[in-house]
Amino acid sequence: MASRSALIVLLVVVSSVAAASAATFIVGDSSGWTVGSVNYTTWASGKTFAPGDTLVFNFATGAHDVVEVDKSGYDGCSTSNAANTIQNGPATVTLTSGTGTYYYICGFTGHCGSGMKLAVTVGSGSSPSTPPTTPGGSPSPSAPTTPSAPAPGSGTPGSASVRLTAGPALAVAAAVLVKLALF
């Protein structure tokens, strides 16, 4: 009986770790999504972004927006071919594609030109200063979600995300052990 309980606890722990694999990134950390105080290329460099991760853009509604654009829109600070615009802050965006680059700018006049632009490369581990494009030159559309509370500690510089991963093999092994214990 004790071994069954231990195996059930193991399964719960493995399931929890697997469910917590997506990370939440607070864009600009404590400064948020704002003009002039953050170099967003530097902020993104060295971070690893994966499908399912969320970006939280902290800004006051009416002061900024978040516009998803293609590389051309990012380079030229143009919203003419916007894939998505979020006008209410804080804005939460989920990265949905397997790999590629997402481009975000502030559509308010002069803000993008003053540095309010972010390129996030999913799957490569960082966002370089000259981000590559996805095949066809544009990112896969992301799915904006309802603003949610940031992950604990995610607003502190140096701890902008938490990612715990468990290999699929570990989860399968735990499930098999539980099934064996129940028979």
Side-chain angles (χ1 to χ4, degrees):
M1 186 63 152
S3 64
R4 279 188 191 170
S5 297
L7 289 174
I8 290 172
V9 168
L10 174 65
L11 179 61
V12 169
V13 169
V14 169
S15 297
S16 297
V17 169
S21 64
T24 298
F25 294 91
I26 307 301
V27 175
D29 294 320
S30 62
S31 295
W33 184 237
T34 188
V35 176
S37 64
V38 178
N39 179 322
Y40 294 102
T41 300
T42 301
W43 175 84
S45 68
K47 290 179 174 54
T48 302
F49 300 100
D53 286 352
T54 56
L55 302 175
V56 178
F57 294 82
N58 285 325
F59 63 94
T61 300
H64 304 292
D65 59 12
V66 177
V67 183
E68 184 178 355
V69 295
D70 59 14
K71 183 170 182 355
S72 175
Y74 176 85
D75 291 340
C77 291
S78 171
T79 61
S80 62
N81 291 320
N84 188 29
T85 300
I86 304 172
Q87 297 176 331
N88 297 321
T92 301
V93 175
T94 301
L95 303 174
T96 59
S97 75
T99 59
T101 303
Y102 291 84
Y103 300 96
Y104 302 98
I105 66 173
C106 179
F108 282 49
T109 303
H111 291 197
C112 176
S114 296
M116 279 189 76
K117 56 199 271 183
L118 172 66
V120 174
T121 302
V122 175
S124 74
S126 67
S127 295
S129 57
T130 306
T133 60
T134 58
S138 63
S140 298
S142 62
T145 58
T146 305
S148 60
S154 58
T156 306
S159 64
S161 70
V162 175
R163 175 169 302 173
L164 301 172
T165 57
L170 182 60
V172 169
V176 168
L177 287 173
V178 168
K179 285 197 179 247
L180 289 174
L182 295 175
F183 286 103

